[in-house]
Each structure stands twice: as structure tokens, then as C-alpha cells.
Amino acid sequence: MNTKGLRFRLTFWFTVSLIVATFIIFTSFYFVTRRMLHAQTDNTLIFHSREIHDNIVGGTLTEDLSNIPGLFVVILNNNGTIISSSQTISPKDGVIRELFEAISRSRNPYFTDRTLGSQKLRFLATPVMVNGSFRGAIIMGHPIDAIQNALNSLITMLGIVLLILVFPAILGGYLNARSAVGPISDISKKLKQINLGSLDKRVDN
């Protein structure tokens, strides 16, 4: 019996199984972490968007939008004209126009990631509805560069850990395969000796 071939196959499948299982765990951890970070950002956007929406509907929008920390805010009327913003922005900016056109068609809040200038932002576009009539839109953006950098660092760390685990996985697979194949190898050797005439050899149960 070719026990070396069997040992190699057992080592190979043990190593591959362990690496695949580890990869699945790491990938799941990455996506769960990503979702948690985005959920925290989304909650911040929802809170401030509702506050501004209530002020608009109530006719009390008097706050300076620039004092909302770390957020990009644009308020547009139903024609898409910018009536207030936390930063200077061109009325013809492609991202803002795209978000306004999408929200004016769907009339439902939605999240999306876009790059504005050189900064990557997580946007929430919210329609301003008064008595069922579309009166405008609130577009808010939260910087996600820090989140993306953290996720990139996490990917790098998980990749390094996965590479470090390759050698122990191969060694563990080899040791397990040798332990499993050892009795088979002994039986095979004794059967060969019996076939050669060594009748004093016994095959243990």
C-alpha cells in the first residue's frame, strides 16, 4: 500500500480545510466589523437628518449648518436649488445633482458612498415631505476615510495572521496524517513480511 501518497493527501486536505475555515472566519469578522462601523455612521446621519427635517417642516430652520461637527450638509428645494449648505458647493456638482435626482424620483431616504472632491463620504439623502408633497431634499455626508483606513489595516492584519498560520497548519496536518497512517503502514509491512514467508509475524487487531 502506498502510505506516502495517502499521508500526502491527508496532510493536503487537513491543511486546506483549516486554511479555508480560518479564511471564512476572518472574512465574516471583517464584514461584521464593517457593518458595525457603517451602522454607527448611519445612525449619526439619521439623527441629524431628522433634526433638520423637523426644523424645516416646522419653519424653524435657523441653525448655522456649519456648526454640525464633521458633517457635510446640503439643503435643496424642490427645484434642486441649494438653499443652505455647511460648505461652499457648486450647484452643478455631479454628486449632489445625482443624489437629488435619485431622491426626487424615489421619495425614499437612502444611503450611498460617494467621493466628493478628494474625500470619500457616506451620504444619506432624505426627501422633505410636507402633507405628502415633495418640498426638497436634505443631503448629508459623513467622512469615512478613517473607517476605510481602519478596515484596510484590519485586512492587512488578518492576511498576515493567515500567512503565519499556513506553516502550523501544514505541520499539524502532517502529524495528524502520520498518526492516522501509522497503524496502516505497520499492517502493510507485516503483510509484506508474511507474504515473503515470515509466518511468525502477526497482524494485531
Side-chain angles (χ1 to χ4, degrees):
M1 178 181 292
N2 186 5
T3 56
K4 290 184 178 180
L6 179 59
R7 185 181 302 162
F8 171 79
R9 287 194 294 271
L10 288 174
T11 302
F12 175 79
W13 286 114
F14 178 86
T15 303
V16 170
S17 299
L18 184 59
I19 291 175
V20 169
T22 305
F23 177 79
I24 292 173
I25 293 172
F26 283 178
T27 302
S28 300
F29 177 73
Y30 168 81
F31 281 108
V32 168
T33 303
R34 180 175 180 270
R35 181 56 196 152
M36 290 177 61
L37 292 174
H38 275 176
Q40 184 177 2
T41 301
D42 293 351
N43 289 335
T44 300
L45 291 171
I46 290 171
F47 173 79
H48 288 291
S49 180
R50 284 177 177 171
E51 192 173 44
I52 294 174
H53 181 276
D54 292 343
N55 288 337
I56 293 174
V57 174
T60 59
L61 184 62
T62 58
E63 64 175 316
D64 181 9
L65 297 180
S66 63
N67 64 16
I68 300 179
L71 296 182
F72 170 80
V73 186
V74 176
I75 300 174
L76 307 96
N77 62 17
N78 58 350
N79 294 319
T81 302
I82 297 176
I83 59 176
S84 184
S85 66
S86 60
Q87 301 176 21
T88 303
I89 186 74
S90 171
K92 297 182 179 179
D93 182 84
V95 174
I96 301 302
R97 302 316 307 173
E98 177 188 347
L99 294 174
F100 175 78
E101 289 172 5
I103 201 67
S104 63
R105 289 192 303 267
S106 68
R107 307 292 172 89
N108 292 312
Y110 78 100
F111 292 95
T112 185
D113 296 340
R114 292 286 189 276
T115 300
L116 187 66
S118 60
Q119 192 172 35
K120 193 172 181 62
L121 299 169
R122 175 77 168 170
F123 280 101
L124 169 61
T126 306
V128 177
M129 307 296 294
V130 180
N131 297 324
S133 176
F134 178 70
R135 296 296 181 85
I138 303 167
I139 297 175
M140 303 189 69
H142 190 298
I144 56 174
D145 291 337
I147 293 177
Q148 194 58 52
N149 290 337
L151 291 174
N152 290 340
S153 298
L154 180 61
I155 291 176
T156 302
M157 182 188 69
L158 294 178
I160 292 173
V161 171
L162 187 62
L163 289 175
I164 292 174
L165 287 176
V166 169
F167 178 74
I170 294 174
L171 180 61
Y174 174 78
L175 293 177
N176 276 283
R178 187 174 68 174
S179 175
V181 174
I184 300 175
S185 179
D186 290 340
I187 292 173
S188 177
K189 289 179 181 178
K190 289 179 179 180
L191 287 175
K192 287 181 180 179
Q193 291 174 346
I194 291 173
N195 289 334
L196 292 175
S198 301
L199 300 179
D200 60 324
K201 300 293 183 181
R202 297 181 59 187
V203 176
D204 299 328
N205 294 329

